[in-house]
Amino acid sequence: MEFVYFVILIVSALLGGQVATKLGLSNVVGQLIAGILVGPALLNFVPSLHSIHVVGEWGVLLLMLNAGLETDVAELKHNMKAASYAAVLGVVFPLIAFPVMALLFGVKWDTAIFWGIVFAATSVSITLAVLNEQGKLTSTAGSVILGAAVLDDIIALLLVAAYSIFLGGSGLGISSILPLVAFGLGLLMRRWSKSDEFLEWSNKIGTWTLFPIFFGSIGLMISFDNFMKEAIFLVILTILAVGTKYYGAGLGARMAGINTVDSRAVGAGMVSRGEMALVIVQIGLSAEIISHQEFSSFVIVVILSTIIAPIMLRPLLDKVTD
């Protein structure tokens, strides 16, 4: 019977991703929503099984390995100053704002810090699609966004590793830094002559099996209990998620000498949360750092930020310099 659940989850996630892409949204958003739809929160076709989440964790590792394989370190040197400033301030702003808000809501200080780490990450997948679509991938703003997003994710993973070392958590140990290890391995494998072939092969495996299982499994854990009571909380979280990246990364780019129009585009391009934030929030739930209710709220905010980002970015890209 478990095999049937896996098939239902994979098929629904793949279909959800295709529908989302046609609607101009991120493939990840579609797969998440598909998991919510077929999971316990709505139709209850697929239960939140331990085996599904174990396989999903393999998806995380493959996702991070591929991210390392796709990261061109040499390319990051272009516009490195602006990308570094945007990345650092894009991390610092949420790393301060979210813990402060969490403390105001009565959250323990160590968990509050983890809130900041979750929203420090950036997803470049949807931004990359928008940049490609409008022919701005090689523009100044496009180059800065791509470099800053990669640096953001590296910083976020390092923060998770530091958290596990200094603060820990129930169940948070060596497995929590495995995504960082997989990412580093991917960077090293780029020197291998057949790395492009391996990346193509691993992407196919991930795209058709492990990735939809991972993103779909996150949807299986979503709960809409007390959703209406949490509405104001979700609005506040979303405003913080958008504002901290937009103003933080935008200010960083401006401080590095990027003009105002391009800096605003950089800020908007960094708003989207996605794969990396989901990896981190999954680690937090597994390690019992955050509750299931917090987990559900964070995933919903990740979805909202991924929808909002291209809406903000598209009109700004019409004005940026090439």
Side-chain angles (χ1 to χ4, degrees), residues 91 94-121 163 230 233 236-237 240 273 277 280-281 284 289-291 293-295 297-298:
V91 167
L95 208 54
I96 293 173
F98 277 94
V100 168
M101 189 194 74
L103 291 172
L104 291 175
F105 276 95
V107 176
K108 295 187 299 181
W109 71 272
D110 52 341
T111 302
I113 292 173
F114 197 81
W115 281 34
I117 296 175
V118 168
F119 290 100
Y163 188 100
E230 297 287 330
F233 177 64
I236 294 173
L237 275 182
L240 270 185
R273 309 308 202 279
I280 295 171
V281 79
I289 298 170
I290 58 175
S291 67
Q293 189 60 51
E294 288 171 314
F295 173 85
S297 297
F298 290 168

Side-chain angles (χ1 to χ4, degrees), residues 58-315:
W58 283 100
V60 172
L61 297 181
L62 184 60
L63 189 72
M64 298 311 303
L65 178 69
N66 288 358
L69 283 164
E70 291 172 338
T71 300
D72 189 340
V73 178
E75 192 66 29
L76 288 179
K77 293 180 181 178
H78 297 293
N79 294 301
M80 178 55 77
K81 180 181 178 181
S84 299
Y85 278 42
V88 170
L89 287 187
V91 167
V92 169
F93 273 44
L95 208 54
I96 293 173
F98 277 94
V100 168
M101 189 194 74
L103 291 172
L104 291 175
F105 276 95
V107 176
K108 295 187 299 181
W109 71 272
D110 52 341
T111 302
I113 292 173
F114 197 81
W115 281 34
I117 296 175
V118 168
F119 290 100
T122 293
S123 171
V124 75
S125 57
I126 185 64
T127 301
L128 180 63
V130 176
L131 289 169
N132 244 334
E133 177 186 299
Q134 298 195 216
K136 298 293 184 178
L137 195 57
T138 57
S139 66
T140 299
S143 298
V144 173
I145 290 169
L146 292 177
V150 171
L151 291 173
D152 251 16
D153 287 351
I154 293 173
I155 293 171
L157 282 173
L158 290 173
L159 287 171
V160 172
Y163 188 100
S164 67
I165 292 170
F166 296 108
L167 295 178
S170 176
L172 185 59
I174 188 65
S175 62
S176 305
I177 62 172
L178 283 179
L180 181 61
V181 174
F183 182 82
L185 180 60
L187 289 175
L188 291 174
M189 287 177 64
R190 278 188 63 86
R191 300 186 179 186
W192 181 30
S193 60
K194 296 186 177 181
S195 63
D196 288 341
E197 295 176 28
F198 179 85
L199 176 60
E200 183 180 357
W201 173 78
S202 62
N203 256 331
K204 285 180 180 177
I205 291 178
T207 298
W208 292 100
T209 56
L210 294 178
F211 298 162
I213 290 173
F214 169 58
F215 293 119
S217 69
I218 289 177
L220 297 181
M221 292 185 285
I222 293 296
S223 169
F224 290 126
D225 295 342
N226 301 316
F227 179 76
M228 294 309 297
K229 293 181 180 178
E230 297 287 330
I232 295 177
F233 177 64
L234 290 172
V235 170
I236 294 173
L237 275 182
T238 303
I239 291 173
L240 270 185
V242 172
T244 51
K245 281 293 183 184
Y246 179 72
Y247 290 107
L251 176 61
R254 193 77 186 95
M255 288 173 62
I258 303 297
N259 66 56
T260 303
V261 173
D262 284 8
S263 295
R264 290 176 62 198
V266 169
M270 298 291 284
V271 164
S272 176
R273 309 308 202 279
E275 299 90 337
M276 190 62 65
L278 294 174
V279 169
I280 295 171
V281 79
Q282 175 65 45
I283 290 172
L285 181 66
S286 299
E288 299 179 8
I289 298 170
I290 58 175
S291 67
H292 273 87
Q293 189 60 51
E294 288 171 314
F295 173 85
S296 296
S297 297
F298 290 168
V299 172
I300 290 170
V301 173
V302 166
I303 292 173
L304 291 174
S305 70
T306 307
I307 293 171
I308 291 169
I311 296 173
M312 295 176 63
L313 183 59
R314 282 191 175 98

